[in-house]
Amino acid sequence: MTSMAERLLDVAMARESVLAAARPLPPEPVELTAALGRVLAEDVASDGALPPFDASAMDGFAVLAGEAAELEVVGESRAGHPADRALRPGEAIRISTGAVVPEGAEAVVPVERTESDDGIGPADRRRERVHVPERSPGDHIRRSGEDVGAGELVLSAGVRLGPAEVAVLASLGRPEILCGPRPCVAVLVTGDELVEPGTPLGQGQIRDANAFALAAQAERAGARVVRRAVVADDLEATVAELAEALEIADAVCVSGGVSVGPHDHVKPALARLGVGERFWGVALRPGKPTWFGLRDRTLVFGLPGNPVSAMVTFHLFARPALERLAGAAEPARPRAFAVLDETVARHPLRDQAVRCTVTVASDGWHVRPTGPQGSHVLTSMLRADALAVIPAGEGEVPAGDRVDVELLR
Ligand code: AMP
Ligand code: MG
């Protein structure tokens, strides 16, 4: 085991180390109705064109192209009920939006651009006539394949399915698709001082926030929380809880007790259980005492106890790993630039993840720190839309500079 003082890993390298260790879990079939938020595990191509036929974009009349004319209405093509005959010169076929353009027709004229001949009433529909203006071939026709060509690759493995992806899969006729599984996560929090909400606080006690934060973040990341436990600051208890968590989870997140104090038992417990250390100590504020290791394919994150540090390090390291376990192609959140609205002092040795509120102005995104940034100030996570990354160094980053931001939501 290395001592943290020897070297702190930079944030990007720590994230790379985590992603290198996280290999996608075997996919499983998922019904489309349950697929929202899941990661697609297959490439999806269309088995036919979309739209599948030339369709009308308007309610109106299917006609030949040409000069203004008076035409005889000879039938109707409704959505789901094509006309029973082809169109011939001198004729129009009434058509609705989404209906098949009848064979022989070249254009659709919207109903509001036509005039019906009132002289012949509906009682004699076979002789109903319509006056249409000049129109060109293709007017108001949605061509077959305009959206998707037959055999075209539409979605690639690794995308997270949002409402649009689910809708496209439905339109491609897929009631079921292969998805990455929801990784199983165990959340353990350590500390003799911790009390669950609902229990009165005794001397020196605080409420456990991390079990709630980390479980919520894990769920947000698409994982299933299979275990939550508060563990006393006791080596044997820590070994017992971690041993069980390692059996049932794809990733274990344990907070607190990871430092080198006499009551910090997480690292010795993990060593005893054969979890190999990948890194210990990240050049990050908050979040320096972050540990990451592996037993077989199970990932173990030893996160700091301070609630803000726990949440920030979960976001930066555990969340991308969970997304990779689920098969996500691009697990890191998109980064962007934003104008910093408040001067921030740099830390000489560590990058800072500053919790910020994002606003939009005429020159793009702006970020402003949510308030005091102590790692115990959990309310600084309220209204935090993004982490602004302030690189290590001397001096300060003045208000007005552009900074790298990583979205939290
Ligand atoms: P530790 O890393 O165990 O030394 O904890 C660092 C700080 O975080 C201490 O002030 C702890 O009381 C606090 N802390 C640890 N775990 C939790 C938790 N689950 N919820 C809230 N605060 C915590
Ligand atoms: Mg502790």
Side-chain angles (χ1 to χ4, degrees):
M1 227 179 275
T2 54
S3 113
M4 188 169 37
E6 282 172 23
R7 65 190 167 95
L8 293 178
L9 202 58
D10 77 54
V11 174
M13 284 174 69
R15 181 128 74 174
E16 252 172 55
S17 164
V18 163
L19 287 177
R23 273 182 284 149
L25 300 166
E28 61 189 16
V30 173
E31 281 185 28
L32 189 56
T33 47
L36 181 68
R38 300 290 293 262
V39 176
L40 189 63
E42 57 173 315
D43 291 339
V44 176
S46 65
D47 62 349
L50 286 182
F53 47 84
D54 287 358
S56 178
M58 302 290 283
D59 290 334
F61 294 89
V63 294
L64 289 172
E67 300 294 310
E70 184 131 319
L71 303 170
E72 185 178 352
V73 180
V74 297
E76 183 173 25
S77 179
R78 287 161 54 201
H81 303 278
D84 53 11
R85 50 164 293 178
L87 185 88
R88 288 191 290 258
E91 296 176 348
I93 290 181
R94 192 179 286 280
I95 194 162
S96 17
T97 306
V100 177
V101 173
E103 199 189 320
E106 296 171 327
V108 168
V109 179
V111 69
E112 50 272 38
R113 297 189 56 206
T114 65
E115 274 170 40
S116 289
D117 184 344
D118 291 341
I120 299 151
D124 193 3
R125 290 194 73 89
R126 277 174 304 128
R127 289 182 58 209
E128 183 187 352
R129 298 184 77 76
V130 64
H131 183 87
V132 299
E134 187 184 348
R135 63 275 162 208
S136 304
D139 281 0
H140 303 293
I141 291 177
R142 303 167 176 165
R143 293 293 178 198
S144 167
E146 236 173 45
D147 189 355
V148 176
E152 194 180 311
L153 177 68
V154 184
L155 289 167
S156 297
V159 300
R160 199 170 278 283
L161 301 175
E165 287 75 16
V166 170
V168 166
L169 286 165
S171 73
L172 294 172
R174 296 294 307 268
E176 191 179 272
I177 61 255
L178 274 183
C179 290
R182 296 178 63 190
C184 295
V185 172
V187 174
L188 307 184
V189 298
T190 69
D192 284 350
E193 74 279 33
L194 301 178
V195 171
E196 289 303 288
T199 310
L201 288 180
Q203 276 282 320
Q205 294 183 321
I206 59 166
R207 296 208 174 82
D208 158 37
N210 294 355
F212 293 85
L214 298 173
Q217 287 179 292
E219 296 227 356
R220 266 282 165 85
R224 204 187 298 278
V225 177
V226 292
R227 183 150 183 87
R228 280 165 77 133
V230 181
V231 191
D233 288 321
D234 170 84
L235 179 61
E236 295 310 320
T238 308
V239 168
E241 286 290 353
L242 279 170
E244 200 169 322
L246 283 163
E247 291 304 317
I248 57 172
D250 302 306
V252 177
C253 294
V254 48
S255 89
V258 77
S259 291
V260 286
H263 307 293
D264 292 328
H265 301 293
V266 169
K267 286 201 292 170
L270 290 170
R272 204 204 277 183
L273 291 165
V275 184
E277 178 180 304
R278 287 291 170 98
F279 66 76
W280 162 230
V282 180
L284 172 66
R285 187 165 88 168
K288 180 168 83 165
T290 299
W291 189 97
F292 173 65
L294 206 59
R295 190 177 83 175
D296 302 323
R297 295 188 61 175
T298 306
L299 313 177
V300 180
F301 296 89
L303 305 177
N306 276 306
V308 174
S309 316
M311 290 191 78
V312 166
T313 52
F314 182 98
H315 181 81
L316 292 176
F317 307 119
R319 182 194 48 78
L322 295 179
E323 298 212 359
R324 175 57 58 78
L325 290 180
E330 288 169 31
R333 259 318 141 84
R335 286 198 162 193
F337 284 110
V339 177
L340 187 64
D341 279 346
E342 215 173 83
T343 297
V344 176
R346 292 180 189 267
H347 185 283
L349 299 175
R350 292 190 262 155
D351 291 353
Q352 290 177 89
V354 177
R355 285 80 75 199
C356 287
T357 301
V358 175
T359 53
V360 178
S362 56
D363 60 344
W365 285 10
H366 284 235
V367 287
R368 178 180 292 277
T370 51
Q373 296 282 308
S375 58
H376 60 295
V377 183
L378 184 53
T379 54
S380 69
M381 289 299 293
L382 299 174
R383 299 177 311 283
D385 305 312
L387 299 174
V389 183
I390 307 292
E394 298 303 322
E396 58 191 30
V397 178
D401 265 22
R402 282 187 181 269
V403 293
D404 215 1
V405 301
E406 181 157 328
L407 297 182
L408 282 172
R409 298 186 196 277

